[in-house]
């Protein structure tokens, strides 16, 4: 494609040429400063590798002990899911659903959808319903809050430090790593590249 | 100052919210027919539909929920027969009393300041758009970006309650229950995230272009 692509800024609607960003940088809207396009190197392979690593970490984060709480000889073992289950048992199903969604379901769906898109593209095929899947992936972004949950863990640990011993489990480390891996995967995914692969079809 | 070139809307173009493809609006478009992006099938709107009314409704709902979220207890600690209920502010006060002021500051900021700040900014943006303000559109767009980015951090108190409920599970020795305040607080966070999503920052710039004509 040699013809220049026109786009409208998503934050101020200014009509402009889509410029390719400098390596490692980003292209911004000259009027409002919104980021329009970030440079991504080797987007497909990188995102694919990060998503696979992410899925592995996600499995570890959910299958192994998360935090242990030790007070006067009594030990409570928890998993990532324990808090959700306990909230539900206390009749707080709304809160349980909110926590489940933002810390477990959204990251899981994000990783799965990325792989669903990228594995076929890697072998040179376009997956079915690509447009809808990519749109769902975009709409999920505000609802994944693993990094906020991590901050919640730090706060809880400090709060309880005076009265009990908190022992981090393997799952906690996996969860911490997953935050960075998922953020890196989302950052290396290049939607422009993928939209170009969507066939114009009725 | 030189007038800005042009918005897509003034050229009868609509940008797809998903894939950013520009589509021409047909001159004789029937209002009842929904336009779809020819590339990805997303529904096209020149601006987010009913952006101002919807954002107002969500902001007002969030303000209403913000009150019980702060007045009602978010959790109850039962320890050796004694029960103690904590609101968000009494939790902050507890941390201050025990010398954990960086943590107290963090919780105060994330749970009290951020939701309120977010709502105040949205109200300001809504009013400025309705009054057709031309003042500092770039800074107002920046304010909008802040409301989009910081809202999620308010969830930290909800997560702290969740983690404490899961960890402190020692029968008669100590148990922790989540309380209604946490539900309202969660609702405030969710509603303000939706409010930021329904506000259309392009409206800030539309007013500017209209006053050039
Ligand atoms: Zn712009
Ligand atoms: Zn589209």
């Amino acid at each position: 494609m040699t013809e220049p692509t026109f786009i409208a800024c998503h934050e101020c609607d200014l009509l402009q040429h889509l410029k390719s960003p400098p390596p490692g940088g980003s292209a911004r809207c000259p009027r409002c400063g919104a980021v329009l396009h970030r440079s991504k190197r080797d987007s497909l392979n990188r995102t694919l590798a990060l998503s696979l690593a992410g899925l592995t970490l996600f499995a570890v984060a959910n299958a192994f002990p998360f935090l242990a709480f030790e007070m006067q000889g009594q030990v409570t073992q928890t998993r990532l899911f324990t808090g959700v289950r306990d909230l539900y048992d206390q009749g707080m199903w709304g809160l349980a659903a909110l926590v489940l969604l933002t810390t477990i379901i959204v990251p899981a769906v994000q990783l799965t959808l990325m792989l669903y898109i990228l594995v076929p593209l890697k072998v040179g095929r376009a997956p079915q319903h690509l447009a809808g899947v990519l749109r769902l992936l975009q709409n999920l972004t505000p609802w994944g809050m693993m990094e906020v949950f991590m901050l919640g863990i730090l706060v809880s640990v400090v709060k309880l430090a005076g009265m009990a011993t908190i022992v981090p489990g393997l799952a906690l480390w996996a969860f911490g790593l997953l935050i960075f891996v998922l953020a890196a995967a989302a950052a290396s995914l290049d939607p422009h590249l993928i939209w170009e692969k969507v066939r114009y079809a009725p | 100052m030189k007038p800005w070139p042009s918005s897509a809307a003034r050229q009868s173009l609509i940008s797809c919210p998903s894939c950013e493809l520009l589509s021409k609006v047909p001159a004789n478009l029937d209002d009842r027919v929904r336009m779809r992006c020819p590339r990805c099938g997303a529904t096209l709107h020149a601006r987010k539909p009913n952006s101002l009314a919807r954002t107002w409704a969500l902001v007002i709902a969030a303000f209403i929920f913000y009150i019980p979220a702060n007045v009602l207890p978010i959790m109850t600690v039962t320890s050796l027969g004694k029960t103690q209920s904590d609101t968000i502010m009494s939790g902050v006060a507890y941390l201050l009393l025990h010398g954990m002021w960086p943590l107290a500051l963090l919780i105060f900021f994330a749970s009290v300041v951020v939701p309120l700040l977010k709502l105040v900014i949205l109200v300001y943006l809504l009013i400025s758009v309705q009054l057709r303000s031309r003042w500092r559109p770039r800074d107002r767009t920046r304010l909008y970006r802040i409301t989009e980015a910081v809202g999620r951090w308010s969830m930290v108190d909800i997560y702290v309650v969740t983690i404490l409920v899961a960890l402190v599970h020692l029968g008669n020795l100590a148990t922790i229950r989540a309380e209604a305040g946490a539900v309202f607080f969660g609702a405030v966070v969710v509603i303000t995230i939706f409010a930021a999503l329904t506000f259309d920052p392009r409206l800030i710039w539309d007013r500017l272009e209209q006053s050039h004509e």
Side-chain angles (χ1 to χ4, degrees):
Chain A
M1 279 213 309
T2 47
E3 195 181 318
T5 316
F6 272 102
I7 60 156
C9 170
H10 57 279
E11 286 185 5
C12 75
D13 210 31
L14 181 73
L15 208 54
Q16 56 199 286
H17 286 292
L18 180 62
K19 292 182 198 73
S20 49
S26 53
R28 286 177 179 272
C29 170
R31 179 160 80 165
C32 78
V35 175
L36 300 173
H37 198 177
R38 281 185 203 285
S39 106
K40 326 235 168 178
R41 280 191 300 131
D42 200 13
S43 165
L44 183 58
N45 288 326
R46 237 183 240 201
T47 318
L48 191 57
L50 286 164
S51 308
L52 283 170
L55 210 59
T56 317
L57 289 168
F58 181 83
V60 174
N62 278 280
F64 287 89
F66 197 70
L67 282 172
F69 174 88
E70 201 182 322
M71 186 172 146
Q72 300 180 4
Q74 287 198 54
V75 180
T76 317
Q77 280 283 1
T78 68
R79 286 168 196 275
L80 185 53
F81 186 68
T82 308
V84 173
R85 193 201 58 207
D86 289 348
L87 284 177
Y88 184 81
D89 288 345
Q90 294 184 359
M92 295 286 179
W93 57 267
L95 277 185
L98 182 60
V99 175
L100 180 67
L101 206 72
T102 52
T103 60
I104 299 178
I105 293 183
V106 168
V109 173
Q110 282 175 317
L111 288 165
T112 312
L113 294 185
M114 276 197 254
L115 288 173
Y116 176 84
I117 292 172
L118 296 171
V119 171
L121 286 183
K122 177 72 188 162
V123 297
R125 275 187 311 190
Q128 285 214 304
H129 311 295
L130 176 55
V133 172
L134 199 50
R135 188 150 56 237
L136 178 60
L137 196 55
Q138 288 171 331
N139 291 340
L140 283 176
T141 313
W143 302 104
M145 304 190 188
M146 287 196 303
E147 74 281 16
V148 186
F149 189 75
M150 200 64 184
L151 182 66
I153 293 168
L154 291 178
V155 172
S156 311
V157 167
V158 176
K159 259 187 149 171
L160 294 173
M163 57 186 278
T165 317
I166 312 285
V167 187
L170 179 63
L172 181 65
W173 303 114
F175 188 83
L177 266 177
L178 177 56
I179 294 171
F180 291 100
V181 169
L182 191 58
S188 63
L189 184 73
D190 189 346
H192 293 269
L193 202 73
I194 298 171
W195 285 122
E196 279 167 17
K197 302 214 194 298
V198 174
R199 297 271 167 277
Y200 280 69
Chain B
M1 195 177 81
K2 133 178 145 5
W4 293 106
S6 177
S7 70
R10 210 149 48 145
Q11 307 291 324
S12 297
L13 291 168
I14 296 184
S15 172
C16 170
S18 287
C19 75
E20 302 196 313
L21 183 75
L22 288 169
S23 301
K24 192 94 186 157
V25 185
N28 54 347
L29 181 70
D30 188 330
D31 280 349
R32 289 159 299 179
V33 179
R34 282 202 293 178
M35 265 183 77
R36 290 194 172 279
C37 172
R39 175 158 67 182
C40 75
T43 309
L44 297 179
H45 299 283
R47 297 292 175 263
K48 293 178 188 171
N50 290 322
S51 171
L52 294 178
R54 283 184 193 177
T55 312
W56 266 121
L58 291 165
V59 164
I60 291 167
F63 265 122
I64 293 170
F65 282 9
Y66 185 77
I67 298 164
N70 279 280
V71 173
L72 296 177
I74 55 166
M75 65 175 180
T76 302
V77 184
T78 309
S79 180
L80 302 168
K82 283 187 300 182
T83 62
Q84 192 208 336
S85 291
D86 266 323
T87 60
I88 288 169
M89 277 313 289
S90 77
V92 172
Y94 172 90
L95 290 172
L96 268 181
L97 277 176
H98 288 73
M100 295 184 254
W101 62 266
L103 215 56
L105 211 64
L106 181 106
I107 295 290
F108 179 72
F109 204 76
S111 302
V112 182
V113 178
V114 164
L116 207 55
L117 192 73
K118 200 174 158 177
L119 289 172
V120 169
I121 291 178
L122 281 172
V123 165
Y124 165 68
L125 292 176
L126 285 165
I127 292 175
S128 78
V129 166
Q130 281 176 326
L131 294 180
R132 306 180 170 270
S133 165
R134 300 193 55 192
W135 189 74
R136 295 194 175 201
R138 206 179 157 109
D139 286 333
R140 281 188 285 143
T141 311
R142 204 168 284 155
L143 277 178
Y144 171 72
R145 256 171 244 150
I146 293 173
T147 65
E148 256 191 322
V150 299
R152 57 203 287 103
W153 292 96
S154 301
M155 277 292 281
V156 71
D157 236 4
I158 298 281
Y159 292 144
V160 170
V161 171
T162 307
I163 294 157
L164 292 182
V165 161
L167 282 178
V168 186
H169 232 291
L170 303 172
N172 293 331
L173 212 55
T175 47
I176 294 183
R177 282 188 62 86
E179 299 289 350
V183 178
F184 285 106
F185 191 78
V188 171
V189 178
V190 171
I191 294 170
T192 52
I193 290 177
F194 276 118
L197 288 173
T198 49
F199 182 78
D200 195 332
R202 292 172 294 187
L203 296 174
I204 296 171
W205 298 87
D206 284 346
R207 299 309 192 235
L208 221 74
E209 298 203 351
Q210 284 160 7
S211 49
H212 278 301
E213 282 161 10

